Amino acid sequence: MSPLAHAPAFASLTAHNTLTPFDARVVSPRTSAVGGTPISTADTARSATADEFRSATTVVPLEHARTAAATVPTAPLEHARLTGSPQLADVATGTAVLGTGSRGDGLRAVQGALMDMGFALYGGADGRYGPDTARALRNFQVHAASAGFPGVRTSGVLDAVTLRALDALAPATGSRGQTRALPSPFYAGQPVRVVIALREHRTFLFDPEGRLLDIFPNAVGTAATPTHPGLKVVRAKLDQVATENAGARLWNDRHVFGARLLDLSWVDGHRSGEELHGTSAPALLGGDVSHGCIRHANEDILVLHDALAVGDRIAVVETLQDANLGVPVTVG
């Protein structure tokens, strides 16, 4: 791939993304992995087939739910988003689960909470359980299991333990983000502007002082062409015209990279072959579909492009349990 041209840095931050500040934690340095993959091509990776969806979202038998109910707290849900729904009350007590074929206002409330936490849900909060909801729940379950909820399984089904985790972690009604189990804005002792959690399919954006600005859904590399964990830096920023020209030159598709592109290198200066960029297929966000790049919705890559400068550090981790990030942060 030809070197990407630098574009002027943008300093402004969008005001609506500001969230509550928190204290940063510093951890001891460790050596990051290095590697690289070719620049991401068009959104040609397939989405899940119907058979894969059925396999990944099989509803837990009600007998299993009743058996597990003995270990589930019976106290009412506490979060204002989730209370008052008979549908969710049944899930919370372990007498029901929500999966294939489920629909209702309780499910709509869960979908809204997931979206406000930065989990991709292309169909929106429509109160219907489909492939998008299953994928968003699986990504949330990955997060919850690493955030002090060890009973959560990555099933893509809304069961009692998953709902209890969401009850504890979801932001207040009308808010975005999270107040518990946030990554530290330090990686191996160095401050970072972005933390990308690969298995959660989320991108955390911090301001230069380490305050969380927003959380965005992403799509990352496939098993065959993975996005590599480690510490990286923004090498170059491309505006709309340069981004479209790069797409046309490299993949014969002006829209393959979406609205903006940020080229990344390893922190030691070596090329990573990976980028942050937009996408021409937003329905694939939340999955492992790229050739190593980290894709975002076009409206989100605009925020990232404007917020970041050449030289800013980007931490890429599998999960937020990565030892380089240190202790997860709780907003005060």
Side-chain angles (χ1 to χ4, degrees):
M1 182 185 72
S2 302
L4 297 172
H6 287 256
F10 291 83
S12 61
L13 295 174
T14 43
H16 72 276
N17 284 329
T18 302
L19 300 183
T20 309
F22 58 87
D23 294 329
R25 312 284 179 90
V26 182
V27 297
S28 300
R30 287 179 58 185
T31 303
S32 64
V34 294
T37 59
I39 190 169
S40 176
T41 185
D43 292 274
T44 53
R46 57 174 176 77
S47 57
T49 65
D51 287 342
E52 287 171 327
F53 170 58
R54 283 191 289 270
S55 173
T57 60
T58 302
V59 178
V60 178
L62 190 56
E63 292 78 8
H64 177 83
R66 290 190 178 117
T67 301
T71 62
V72 175
T74 57
L77 297 169
E78 297 181 355
H79 202 298
R81 287 176 178 264
L82 307 176
T83 56
S85 166
Q87 184 181 45
L88 296 183
D90 287 344
V91 175
T93 58
T95 58
V97 296
L98 301 184
T100 303
S102 298
R103 63 182 63 191
D105 289 341
L107 184 57
R108 182 179 291 108
V110 167
Q111 291 170 328
L114 292 171
M115 292 174 66
D116 285 340
M117 294 178 72
F119 292 100
L121 219 164
Y122 183 70
D126 60 3
R128 298 170 182 266
Y129 182 98
D132 289 342
T133 301
R135 183 167 55 191
L137 279 169
R138 286 195 299 271
N139 289 335
F140 170 73
Q141 287 164 337
V142 169
H143 172 69
S146 69
F149 298 88
V152 175
R153 299 175 301 111
T154 54
S155 63
V157 171
L158 184 69
D159 56 15
V161 289
T162 300
L163 182 58
R164 293 287 176 178
L166 187 65
D167 189 51
L169 295 172
T173 304
S175 299
R176 284 181 52 80
Q178 218 173 302
T179 58
R180 287 181 55 186
L182 292 167
S184 165
F186 282 80
Y187 181 95
Q190 299 188 50
V192 298
R193 293 294 312 280
V194 168
V195 173
I196 293 166
L198 298 175
R199 291 180 56 197
E200 295 183 15
H201 299 93
R202 290 198 295 171
T203 296
F204 298 78
L205 173 65
F206 300 94
D207 72 9
E209 284 70 48
R211 292 182 290 262
L212 181 68
L213 293 177
D214 212 337
I215 310 172
F216 307 115
N218 65 40
V220 299
T222 67
T225 57
T227 306
H228 293 87
L231 186 60
K232 304 171 188 182
V233 298
V234 177
R235 177 178 177 271
K237 297 173 55 177
L238 276 66
D239 62 14
Q240 180 80 55
V241 173
T243 298
E244 292 182 355
N245 288 342
R249 182 177 70 254
L250 295 168
W251 301 109
N252 198 31
D253 183 351
R254 299 188 67 83
H255 305 292
V256 61
F257 296 131
R260 297 289 189 275
L261 186 148
L262 294 94
D263 190 29
L264 303 180
S265 67
W266 292 100
V267 72
D268 63 5
H270 287 85
R271 295 292 303 278
S272 70
E274 299 170 354
E275 290 82 30
L276 306 181
H277 61 73
T279 183
S280 56
L284 297 182
L285 292 173
D288 300 332
V289 298
S290 82
H291 282 64
C293 293
I294 303 100
R295 303 174 184 174
H296 299 83
N298 286 326
E299 59 268 26
D300 297 339
I301 198 63
L302 290 173
V303 177
L304 289 163
H305 183 275
D306 287 358
L308 299 174
V310 171
D312 281 342
R313 296 180 183 88
I314 310 292
V316 181
V317 296
E318 291 288 347
T319 72
L320 300 188
Q321 288 181 313
D322 190 302
N324 287 289
L325 292 176
V327 180
V329 176
T330 297
V331 175

